[in-house]
Amino acid sequence: MRSVFLIALCVLALALAAPPQEKGIIINLDNGELCLNSLQCKSSCCLRSSGVSLARCAPQSAENEECSKKSLYGTYYRCTCESGLKCEGDLSIGGSITNTNFGICRDPKSS
Amino acid sequence: MVGHLAISQCVSTQIISYRTLGLPFLLPGAEVCFENLGCFSDDIPWAGTAERPIAQLPWSPEEIGARFLLFTQQNPEYHQASKQREKRKICQGTAWECTKPIQNHEITTNKEILLASNYNGTRKTRFITHGYIDKGDENWLLDMCKLMLQVEDINCICVDWKKGGRTRYTQSANNIRVVGAQIAYMIQLFKTIYQQRPETVHIIGHSLGAHCAAEAGRRTPNLGRITGLDPAEPYFQGCPALVRLDPSDAKFVDVIHTDALPMIPYLGLGMSQAVGHLDFYPNGGEHMAGCEKNIISQIVDIDGIWEGTRDFVACNHLRSYKYYSDSILNPEGFLGYPCSDGDVFESVSVLFLLGFKAHRGRCFPCAEGACPLMGHHADKFRRPSGAEKMKFYLNTADARPFGRYRYKVSVTITADRALLLTGSMSVALYGMEGNTRQYQVKKGVLNPGNTYEVYIDVEKDVGELTKMKFIWNNSVINPMFPKLGAEKIVLQRGKDRHTYTFCSSETVREDVLQTVPLCTSV
């Protein structure tokens, strides 16, 4: 947690030091850049592989790929679906708490 | 007398200028000779030209201390930590065991060591050489060997000359001449000991290593292939062919350019000059995708801090070997399109005054057999005889896997009412082997009835196309709930010029996917 805080501080310092550019430092982040919340990413998915790993912006899941339902955590273990797609899977209370409401992206029209 | 005075003055000012600069002054025409390798002078064109102002003689082979690490399918792994221990353990045993080569198969030009190693003269041999400051047991060289051993049975030799590379750049740029000569001498030994033809030898060199390979190739007639991975620019670009990598150095020379901007002022480390039979410029050759991350994201890399720091220093420059490594297992994702320059390859339709429209994304699709694969499988390309410096362009992804597949999409849109809409629209490809992500076709004013054309580089090969999906998004909230649809989508595949046509009469609201099947009758 402390390291995350430290990184956040560094990012903030950099953002204040650097002049505004097209490419974001805090928001509008490209894929592969470190993030703390999905709102920062251009792709609106801030992905982490495990609970302790760092999160990076990643492309959203395409149809038939694994996905997470939208959550309040801000980061995901699987990205949310691209527009027009629905993440079909179980929605459980346990899953909501542990951020593991996984599913598969499907087109609601074609099924 | 006056003339003599003028000359001596000139020489003395030269000495002073060199001394005040703190640079070693060497008499022009100095020469060093080494056993089995021949002599090396610092005369023109090796020094004293505008490109190579500082004269420096190469170090001796002992000072450079080049090592040759052999990997074969019998020993694909490398254990650095165990190496010293093992050597000590063996040499505490009998004298016979001491003469045995150590476990990690470091080979030398000693005939006994070569014969006792796993080296096999009937197999192909590939050397990999690193560049400035780098080292031969760095992960990328070992990983490249491992990947190649997965697909073919070869002798893979990582050339480590780190002592010769961790010095002043000007010295390092001359040390590669000795390393190149050592490689050439080793290839000559393979010929005498194993009757192995030089045609079966391939040297892969990154940065300075590319010119090192060129030196080896210059000394080896009929060398099979040299791959230059972003050959170093300072001291080589614009120099005569003797000094640098050149198509004459091997029977087949392929080059990947990833950092082609000029050294001054952009710090581009690679050459922009075409120096091979085939020259690939992925992403235009100057700015690689994924190399413009902020400093923390760059250094704190997925592959660890070390890889991240390397990328922070020279991301574009190091991409060349990453593409090459990726292309070993995934050849199809690196199809190069012949083109005169990167701007022409990039997908822009320019609307000139008076409605005259010119398409600039012209180097598409591939003519029959005109597109080589960048990287490991570039040698499968049937090159027109005598052709040199052929330029090829392609785009890659921003992270591994780097391979991409290029298509041209033309979307004709329709709406139920004639509306002025602003927003963005995207398409996704669906084929026998899966589907792709959504790729944006247009952002801005969407005019029903118009056709929008764009080139997309998708992340996977979906096989034979079965359908497409269209989606659009209204950027301004519109209480009329407009509906828009793709009337016709024409998709052309880059690799074989195959064209698919998809039709639909449906229209959809924003953020709803429209399925567009193949046209039943055209």
Side-chain angles (χ1 to χ4, degrees):
Chain A
M1 198 57 222
R2 193 191 262 170
S3 67
V4 172
F5 184 70
L6 209 73
I7 287 164
L9 215 72
C10 290
V11 169
L12 197 74
L14 264 177
L16 293 175
Q21 312 164 341
E22 197 185 313
K23 172 186 77 116
I25 299 245
I26 281 206
I27 55 155
N28 221 10
L29 297 181
D30 279 326
N31 289 343
E33 299 205 85
L34 292 168
C35 53
L36 296 169
N37 195 295
S38 293
L39 295 171
Q40 295 176 278
C41 301
K42 273 182 193 165
S43 66
S44 54
C45 174
C46 185
L47 182 75
R48 62 182 350 143
S49 53
S50 74
V52 289
S53 64
L54 294 167
R56 288 163 200 281
C57 296
Q60 289 187 305
S61 300
E63 192 170 349
N64 301 318
E65 281 182 354
E66 279 195 314
C67 55
S68 292
K69 289 175 190 284
K70 284 227 164 63
S71 84
L72 296 170
Y73 280 92
T75 59
Y76 295 98
Y77 297 115
R78 314 268 191 283
C79 274
T80 46
C81 295
E82 290 185 311
S83 59
L85 297 167
K86 195 167 169 283
C87 190
E88 281 182 7
D90 297 331
L91 182 67
S92 68
I93 294 169
S96 307
I97 292 166
T98 56
N99 199 6
T100 52
N101 276 324
F102 299 147
I104 306 281
C105 292
R106 302 267 187 226
D107 183 357
K109 271 176 75 192
S110 65
S111 55
Chain B
M1 190 63 205
V2 175
H4 182 251
L5 198 76
I7 289 167
S8 68
Q9 257 177 353
C10 172
V11 170
S12 62
T13 50
Q14 207 175 4
I15 293 167
I16 289 160
S17 71
Y18 271 119
R19 282 196 181 143
T20 47
L21 283 167
L23 299 165
F25 176 72
L26 287 157
L27 284 170
E31 203 176 55
V32 278
C33 300
F34 304 115
E35 195 193 348
N36 299 329
L37 304 179
C39 296
F40 301 86
S41 85
D42 63 354
D43 224 348
I44 293 167
W46 298 104
T49 60
E51 291 87 12
R52 302 171 75 100
I54 301 163
Q56 210 103 66
L57 284 171
W59 289 354
S60 71
E62 292 74 35
E63 281 174 294
I64 294 169
R67 297 190 300 148
F68 297 86
L69 312 175
L70 171 71
F71 297 88
T72 60
Q73 287 190 337
Q74 287 101 300
N75 62 317
E77 292 295 325
Y78 179 68
H79 308 286
Q80 195 171 23
S82 66
K83 182 193 142 195
Q84 285 304 320
R85 222 178 304 133
E86 220 154 337
K87 196 174 184 179
R88 222 176 293 132
K89 200 170 74 189
I90 289 169
C91 286
Q92 276 162 4
T94 60
W96 176 77
E97 272 173 322
C98 278
T99 58
K100 245 171 54 169
I102 45 176
Q103 201 58 52
N104 69 45
H105 302 281
E106 188 180 326
I107 54 167
T108 65
T109 45
N110 183 322
K111 196 176 171 184
E112 259 104 73
I113 292 178
L114 206 54
L115 284 170
S117 70
N118 283 339
Y119 192 89
N120 185 337
T122 58
R123 292 192 290 239
K124 268 192 173 184
T125 301
R126 296 190 203 272
F127 287 90
I128 309 177
T129 3
H130 61 84
Y132 187 48
I133 315 231
D134 216 354
K135 56 179 182 161
D137 42 12
E138 184 60 58
N139 287 334
W140 72 266
L141 296 114
L142 309 181
D143 289 346
M144 198 184 273
C145 268
K146 268 184 228 169
L147 282 170
M148 290 196 290
L149 289 170
Q150 271 181 42
V151 292
E152 56 194 4
D153 187 17
I154 55 159
N155 309 297
C156 187
I157 302 171
C158 295
V159 183
D160 178 32
W161 52 280
K162 60 171 169 280
K163 268 202 256 167
R166 290 182 176 174
T167 174
R168 290 180 308 279
Y169 182 79
T170 51
Q171 181 67 59
S172 200
N174 279 295
N175 287 348
I176 59 164
R177 294 163 63 189
V178 169
V179 181
Q182 282 181 292
I183 296 173
Y185 179 61
M186 192 168 254
I187 296 168
Q188 197 191 318
L189 273 184
F190 295 157
K191 201 176 171 185
T192 50
I193 298 174
Y194 296 101
Q195 282 79 51
Q196 185 182 8
R197 292 179 307 130
E199 280 91 336
T200 61
V201 179
H202 174 199
I203 310 175
I204 302 163
H206 174 246
S207 189
L208 272 185
H211 299 295
C212 175
E215 181 68 22
R218 192 170 66 83
R219 290 162 177 265
T220 311
N222 290 326
L223 182 75
R225 180 181 172 193
I226 292 176
T227 301
L229 303 174
D230 211 26
E233 175 198 334
Y235 266 54
F236 296 98
Q237 176 140 303
C239 287
L242 175 73
V243 174
R244 59 168 168 84
L245 181 62
D246 182 76
S248 66
D249 291 323
K251 294 185 103 175
F252 179 64
V253 179
D254 60 315
V255 184
I256 301 177
H257 299 268
T258 57
D259 200 6
L261 279 174
M263 184 72 190
I264 300 162
Y266 301 105
L267 292 177
L269 303 170
M271 283 177 125
S272 56
Q273 193 183 1
V275 287
H277 293 110
L278 310 184
D279 283 83
F280 295 91
Y281 294 84
N283 306 313
E286 294 177 350
H287 300 286
M288 295 303 110
C291 281
E292 272 144 14
K293 285 186 264 195
N294 61 52
I295 168 171
I296 298 171
S297 301
Q298 190 74 268
I299 290 177
V300 186
D301 194 72
I302 309 169
D303 300 324
I305 301 278
W306 175 236
E307 271 306 310
T309 311
R310 287 168 64 89
D311 273 350
F312 174 64
V313 177
C315 182
N316 289 322
H317 192 44
L318 304 184
R319 273 287 195 270
S320 53
Y321 67 70
K322 298 187 183 184
Y323 296 153
Y324 189 94
S325 295
D326 235 27
S327 75
I328 295 168
L329 296 184
N330 178 22
E332 296 293 321
F334 296 92
L335 196 69
Y337 293 83
C339 211
S340 55
D341 76 294
D343 287 342
V344 178
F345 178 70
E346 261 322 303
S347 51
V348 204
S349 301
V350 193
L351 195 67
F352 288 109
L353 287 171
L354 307 166
F356 171 67
K357 202 175 173 188
H359 291 289
R360 291 182 66 198
R362 260 186 312 220
C363 309
F364 183 94
C366 281
E368 188 72 42
C371 293
L373 300 166
M374 181 177 84
H376 193 58
H377 302 272
D379 55 349
K380 299 207 174 109
F381 180 62
R382 293 179 132 214
R383 177 168 48 93
S385 63
E388 278 180 8
K389 299 176 183 176
M390 301 171 79
K391 291 185 171 185
F392 299 94
Y393 287 81
L394 65 154
N395 287 336
T396 68
D398 55 357
R400 257 184 320 221
F402 287 109
R404 285 282 160 118
Y405 305 84
R406 197 168 175 85
Y407 291 87
K408 182 165 91 172
V409 198
S410 319
V411 184
T412 310
I413 52 171
T414 176
D416 45 359
R417 279 160 283 169
L419 293 161
L420 182 70
L421 298 168
T422 56
S424 61
M425 57 184 190
S426 305
V427 290
L429 277 58
Y430 289 72
M432 302 296 274
E433 286 150 48
N435 60 286
T436 69
R437 294 188 197 124
Q438 294 168 4
Y439 288 88
Q440 188 170 299
V441 173
K442 167 88 192 198
K443 190 175 186 178
V445 179
L446 307 178
N447 260 328
N450 273 19
T451 302
Y452 297 95
E453 192 180 274
V454 76
Y455 293 86
I456 53 174
D457 296 287
V458 305
E459 81 277 12
K460 68 175 143 187
D461 188 5
V462 294
E464 282 304 299
L465 269 289
T466 51
K467 64 184 175 194
M468 301 266 293
K469 285 196 183 181
F470 172 86
I471 193 160
W472 74 285
N473 189 297
N474 207 348
S475 60
V476 195
I477 295 163
N478 191 332
M480 313 256 293
F481 298 116
K483 286 172 105 179
L484 196 72
E487 196 177 24
K488 188 177 171 191
I489 302 177
V490 180
L491 185 79
Q492 190 172 32
R493 186 160 61 194
K495 67 173 180 189
D496 57 2
R497 293 185 287 173
H498 198 296
T499 305
Y500 299 90
T501 316
F502 305 88
C503 320
S504 171
S505 54
E506 199 187 1
T507 55
V508 286
R509 287 245 182 98
E510 67 166 326
D511 283 333
V512 175
L513 281 163
Q514 177 201 4
T515 304
V516 190
L518 282 165
C519 297
T520 43
S521 59
V522 180

Coordinates of all heavy atoms in Angstrom, one line a residue, chain A residues 5-61:
Chain A
F5 N 1.2 4.3 -2.7 CA 1.1 5.7 -2.3 C 2.3 6.5 -2.9 O 2.1 7.6 -3.4 CB 1.0 5.8 -0.8 CG 0.8 7.2 -0.3 CD1 -0.5 7.8 -0.5 CD2 1.8 7.9 0.3 CE1 -0.7 9.1 0.0 CE2 1.6 9.2 0.8 CZ 0.4 9.8 0.6
L6 N 3.4 5.9 -2.7 CA 4.7 6.5 -3.2 C 4.6 6.8 -4.7 O 5.0 7.9 -5.1 CB 5.8 5.6 -2.8 CG 7.2 6.3 -2.6 CD1 7.1 7.0 -1.2 CD2 8.3 5.3 -2.6
I7 N 4.2 5.8 -5.4 CA 4.1 5.9 -6.8 C 3.1 7.0 -7.2 O 3.4 7.9 -8.0 CB 3.7 4.6 -7.5 CG1 4.9 3.6 -7.4 CG2 3.3 4.8 -8.9 CD1 4.6 2.2 -7.7
A8 N 2.0 7.0 -6.5 CA 1.0 8.1 -6.7 C 1.6 9.4 -6.5 O 1.3 10.4 -7.3 CB -0.2 7.8 -5.8
L9 N 2.4 9.6 -5.5 CA 3.0 10.8 -5.2 C 4.0 11.3 -6.3 O 4.0 12.4 -6.7 CB 3.8 10.7 -3.8 CG 3.8 11.9 -3.0 CD1 2.4 12.2 -2.3 CD2 4.8 11.8 -1.9
C10 N 4.7 10.3 -6.7 CA 5.7 10.5 -7.8 C 5.0 11.0 -9.1 O 5.4 11.9 -9.8 CB 6.5 9.3 -8.1 SG 7.7 8.9 -6.8
V11 N 3.9 10.3 -9.4 CA 3.1 10.6 -10.6 C 2.6 12.0 -10.5 O 2.7 12.8 -11.4 CB 2.0 9.6 -10.8 CG1 1.0 10.1 -11.8 CG2 2.5 8.2 -11.1
L12 N 2.1 12.4 -9.3 CA 1.6 13.7 -9.1 C 2.7 14.7 -9.3 O 2.5 15.7 -9.9 CB 1.0 13.8 -7.6 CG 0.1 14.9 -7.4 CD1 -1.3 14.6 -8.1 CD2 -0.1 15.2 -5.9
A13 N 3.8 14.5 -8.7 CA 5.0 15.4 -8.8 C 5.3 15.6 -10.2 O 5.5 16.7 -10.7 CB 6.1 14.9 -8.0
L14 N 5.4 14.5 -11.0 CA 5.7 14.6 -12.4 C 4.7 15.4 -13.1 O 5.0 16.2 -14.0 CB 5.8 13.2 -13.0 CG 7.2 12.6 -13.0 CD1 7.1 11.2 -13.6 CD2 8.1 13.4 -13.9
A15 N 3.4 15.1 -12.8 CA 2.3 15.8 -13.5 C 2.4 17.3 -13.3 O 2.1 18.1 -14.2 CB 1.0 15.2 -13.0
L16 N 2.8 17.7 -12.1 CA 2.9 19.1 -11.8 C 4.1 19.7 -12.4 O 4.0 20.9 -12.8 CB 2.9 19.3 -10.3 CG 1.7 18.9 -9.5 CD1 1.9 19.0 -8.0 CD2 0.5 19.8 -9.9
A17 N 5.2 18.9 -12.5 CA 6.4 19.5 -13.1 C 6.3 19.5 -14.6 O 6.8 20.5 -15.2 CB 7.6 18.6 -12.7
A18 N 5.7 18.5 -15.2 CA 5.7 18.5 -16.7 C 4.6 19.4 -17.3 O 3.5 19.5 -16.7 CB 5.4 17.0 -17.1
P19 N 4.9 20.0 -18.4 CA 3.9 20.8 -19.1 C 2.8 19.9 -19.6 O 3.0 18.8 -19.9 CB 4.7 21.5 -20.2 CG 5.8 20.7 -20.4 CD 6.1 20.0 -19.2
P20 N 1.6 20.5 -19.8 CA 0.5 19.7 -20.3 C 0.8 19.2 -21.7 O 1.3 20.0 -22.6 CB -0.7 20.6 -20.3 CG -0.2 22.0 -20.2 CD 1.1 21.8 -19.5
Q21 N 0.6 18.0 -22.0 CA 0.8 17.4 -23.4 C -0.4 16.7 -23.8 O -1.4 16.5 -23.0 CB 2.0 16.4 -23.4 CG 3.2 16.9 -22.6 CD 4.1 15.8 -22.3 OE1 3.7 14.6 -22.3 NE2 5.3 16.1 -22.0
E22 N -0.4 16.3 -25.1 CA -1.5 15.5 -25.6 C -1.6 14.1 -24.9 O -2.6 13.6 -24.6 CB -1.2 15.3 -27.1 CG -2.5 14.8 -27.8 CD -2.1 14.5 -29.3 OE1 -1.4 15.3 -29.9 OE2 -2.5 13.5 -29.7
K23 N -0.4 13.6 -24.7 CA -0.3 12.3 -24.0 C -0.4 12.5 -22.5 O 0.2 13.4 -22.0 CB 1.1 11.7 -24.3 CG 1.5 10.5 -23.6 CD 2.9 10.1 -24.0 CE 3.9 11.0 -23.3 NZ 4.8 10.3 -22.4
G24 N -1.2 11.7 -21.8 CA -1.5 12.0 -20.4 C -0.5 11.5 -19.5 O 0.3 10.6 -19.7
I25 N -0.4 12.2 -18.3 CA 0.4 11.7 -17.2 C -0.5 11.2 -16.1 O -0.3 10.2 -15.4 CB 1.3 12.8 -16.7 CG1 2.2 13.3 -17.8 CG2 2.0 12.4 -15.4 CD1 3.7 13.1 -17.6
I26 N -1.6 11.9 -15.9 CA -2.6 11.4 -14.9 C -3.9 10.9 -15.5 O -4.4 9.9 -15.1 CB -2.9 12.6 -13.9 CG1 -1.8 12.8 -12.9 CG2 -4.2 12.4 -13.2 CD1 -2.1 13.4 -11.7
I27 N -4.3 11.6 -16.5 CA -5.5 11.0 -17.3 C -5.1 10.8 -18.7 O -4.0 11.2 -19.1 CB -6.7 11.9 -17.2 CG1 -6.4 13.3 -17.7 CG2 -7.3 11.9 -15.8 CD1 -7.6 14.1 -18.2
N28 N -6.0 10.2 -19.5 CA -5.7 9.9 -20.9 C -4.5 9.1 -21.1 O -3.6 9.3 -22.0 CB -5.5 11.3 -21.6 CG -6.2 11.3 -22.9 OD1 -7.0 10.3 -23.2 ND2 -6.0 12.3 -23.7
L29 N -4.3 8.1 -20.2 CA -3.1 7.2 -20.3 C -3.2 6.2 -21.4 O -4.2 5.7 -21.7 CB -2.9 6.5 -19.0 CG -2.6 7.3 -17.8 CD1 -2.4 6.5 -16.5 CD2 -1.4 8.2 -18.0
D30 N -2.0 6.0 -22.1 CA -1.9 5.0 -23.1 C -1.9 3.6 -22.5 O -1.6 3.4 -21.3 CB -0.7 5.2 -23.9 CG -0.8 6.3 -25.0 OD1 -1.9 6.4 -25.5 OD2 0.2 7.0 -25.2
N31 N -2.1 2.6 -23.3 CA -2.0 1.2 -22.9 C -0.6 0.9 -22.5 O 0.4 1.4 -23.1 CB -2.4 0.2 -24.0 CG -3.9 0.2 -24.3 OD1 -4.6 0.7 -23.5 ND2 -4.2 -0.3 -25.4
G32 N -0.4 0.2 -21.3 CA 0.9 -0.1 -20.8 C 1.4 0.8 -19.8 O 2.4 0.6 -19.1
E33 N 0.7 2.0 -19.6 CA 1.1 2.9 -18.6 C 0.5 2.6 -17.2 O -0.6 2.0 -17.2 CB 0.8 4.3 -19.0 CG 1.5 4.7 -20.3 CD 1.6 6.2 -20.4 OE1 2.6 6.7 -19.9 OE2 0.8 6.9 -21.1
L34 N 1.2 2.9 -16.2 CA 0.8 2.5 -14.8 C -0.4 3.4 -14.5 O -0.5 4.6 -14.8 CB 1.9 2.8 -13.8 CG 3.1 1.8 -13.9 CD1 4.2 2.3 -13.1 CD2 2.7 0.4 -13.5
C35 N -1.4 2.8 -13.8 CA -2.6 3.5 -13.4 C -3.1 3.1 -12.1 O -2.7 2.0 -11.6 CB -3.7 3.3 -14.5 SG -4.0 1.5 -14.8
L36 N -4.0 3.9 -11.5 CA -4.6 3.5 -10.2 C -6.1 3.3 -10.4 O -6.7 2.7 -9.6 CB -4.3 4.6 -9.2 CG -2.8 4.8 -8.8 CD1 -2.7 6.0 -8.0 CD2 -2.3 3.6 -8.0
N37 N -6.6 3.9 -11.4 CA -8.1 3.8 -11.6 C -8.3 3.8 -13.1 O -7.6 4.4 -13.9 CB -8.7 5.0 -11.0 CG -10.2 4.8 -10.9 OD1 -10.9 4.7 -11.8 ND2 -10.7 4.7 -9.6
S38 N -9.4 3.1 -13.5 CA -9.7 2.9 -14.9 C -10.1 4.3 -15.5 O -9.9 4.4 -16.7 CB -10.9 2.0 -15.1 OG -10.5 0.7 -14.7
L39 N -10.5 5.2 -14.7 CA -10.8 6.5 -15.3 C -9.6 7.2 -15.9 O -9.8 8.1 -16.8 CB -11.4 7.5 -14.2 CG -12.7 7.0 -13.5 CD1 -13.0 7.9 -12.3 CD2 -13.8 7.1 -14.5
Q40 N -8.4 6.8 -15.5 CA -7.2 7.4 -16.0 C -6.9 7.0 -17.5 O -6.2 7.7 -18.2 CB -6.0 7.1 -15.2 CG -6.1 7.6 -13.7 CD -4.9 7.1 -13.0 OE1 -4.9 6.0 -12.5 NE2 -3.9 7.9 -12.9
C41 N -7.4 5.8 -17.8 CA -7.0 5.2 -19.1 C -7.8 5.6 -20.2 O -9.0 5.8 -20.1 CB -7.0 3.7 -19.0 SG -6.0 3.0 -17.6
K42 N -7.2 5.8 -21.4 CA -7.9 6.0 -22.6 C -8.8 4.9 -22.9 O -9.9 5.1 -23.4 CB -6.9 6.1 -23.8 CG -6.3 7.5 -24.0 CD -5.4 7.4 -25.2 CE -4.6 8.7 -25.3 NZ -3.4 8.6 -26.2
S43 N -8.4 3.6 -22.6 CA -9.2 2.4 -22.9 C -10.2 2.2 -21.8 O -11.0 1.2 -21.9 CB -8.3 1.2 -23.0 OG -7.7 1.0 -21.7
S44 N -10.2 3.0 -20.7 CA -11.0 2.9 -19.6 C -11.0 1.5 -19.0 O -12.0 0.9 -18.5 CB -12.5 3.3 -19.8 OG -13.0 2.7 -20.9
C45 N -9.8 0.9 -19.0 CA -9.6 -0.4 -18.2 C -8.2 -0.3 -17.6 O -7.2 -0.3 -18.3 CB -9.7 -1.6 -19.1 SG -9.3 -3.1 -18.2
C46 N -8.1 -0.4 -16.3 CA -6.9 -0.4 -15.5 C -6.7 -1.8 -15.0 O -7.5 -2.2 -14.1 CB -6.9 0.6 -14.4 SG -5.4 0.8 -13.5
L47 N -5.8 -2.6 -15.6 CA -5.7 -4.0 -15.4 C -4.6 -4.4 -14.5 O -3.5 -3.9 -14.7 CB -5.6 -4.7 -16.8 CG -5.5 -6.2 -16.8 CD1 -6.9 -6.8 -16.6 CD2 -5.0 -6.7 -18.2
R48 N -4.8 -5.3 -13.6 CA -3.8 -5.9 -12.8 C -3.9 -7.4 -12.8 O -5.0 -8.0 -13.0 CB -3.8 -5.4 -11.4 CG -5.1 -5.7 -10.7 CD -5.2 -5.2 -9.3 NE -4.0 -4.6 -8.7 CZ -4.0 -3.5 -8.0 NH1 -5.2 -2.9 -7.7 NH2 -2.9 -3.1 -7.5
S49 N -2.7 -8.1 -12.7 CA -2.8 -9.6 -12.8 C -3.1 -10.2 -11.5 O -3.7 -11.3 -11.4 CB -1.5 -10.1 -13.4 OG -0.4 -9.6 -12.7
S50 N -2.7 -9.6 -10.4 CA -3.1 -10.2 -9.1 C -3.2 -9.0 -8.1 O -3.0 -7.9 -8.4 CB -1.9 -11.1 -8.6 OG -0.8 -10.3 -8.2
G51 N -3.6 -9.4 -6.9 CA -3.9 -8.4 -5.9 C -2.7 -7.5 -5.5 O -2.9 -6.4 -5.1
V52 N -1.5 -8.1 -5.6 CA -0.4 -7.3 -5.2 C 0.4 -6.7 -6.4 O 1.3 -5.9 -6.2 CB 0.6 -8.2 -4.4 CG1 0.0 -8.5 -3.1 CG2 1.0 -9.5 -5.2
S53 N 0.0 -7.0 -7.6 CA 0.8 -6.5 -8.7 C 0.4 -5.1 -9.1 O -0.7 -4.7 -8.7 CB 0.7 -7.5 -9.9 OG -0.7 -7.5 -10.4
L54 N 1.2 -4.4 -9.9 CA 0.9 -3.1 -10.3 C -0.1 -3.2 -11.4 O -0.2 -4.1 -12.2 CB 2.2 -2.4 -10.9 CG 3.3 -2.2 -9.8 CD1 4.5 -1.8 -10.5 CD2 2.8 -1.0 -8.9
A55 N -0.9 -2.1 -11.5 CA -2.0 -2.1 -12.6 C -1.5 -1.2 -13.7 O -0.8 -0.2 -13.5 CB -3.2 -1.6 -12.0
R56 N -1.9 -1.6 -14.9 CA -1.5 -0.8 -16.1 C -2.8 -0.8 -17.0 O -3.6 -1.7 -17.0 CB -0.5 -1.6 -16.9 CG 0.9 -1.6 -16.4 CD 1.7 -2.6 -17.0 NE 2.8 -2.9 -16.1 CZ 3.9 -2.2 -16.0 NH1 4.0 -1.1 -16.8 NH2 4.9 -2.4 -15.2
C57 N -2.8 0.3 -17.8 CA -3.9 0.4 -18.8 C -3.8 -0.7 -19.8 O -2.7 -1.0 -20.3 CB -3.9 1.8 -19.4 SG -4.1 3.2 -18.3
A58 N -5.0 -1.2 -20.2 CA -5.0 -2.3 -21.1 C -6.2 -2.2 -22.0 O -7.2 -1.5 -21.6 CB -5.0 -3.7 -20.4
P59 N -6.1 -2.8 -23.2 CA -7.3 -2.7 -24.1 C -8.5 -3.5 -23.5 O -8.3 -4.4 -22.8 CB -6.8 -3.3 -25.4 CG -5.6 -4.1 -25.1 CD -5.0 -3.5 -23.9
Q60 N -9.7 -3.0 -23.8 CA -10.9 -3.7 -23.3 C -11.0 -5.1 -24.0 O -10.5 -5.3 -25.1 CB -12.1 -2.8 -23.6 CG -12.2 -1.6 -22.7 CD -13.4 -0.9 -22.9 OE1 -13.8 -0.5 -24.0 NE2 -14.1 -0.7 -21.8
S61 N -11.8 -5.9 -23.4 CA -12.0 -7.3 -23.9 C -12.8 -7.3 -25.2 O -13.9 -6.6 -25.2 CB -12.6 -8.2 -22.9 OG -11.7 -8.2 -21.8

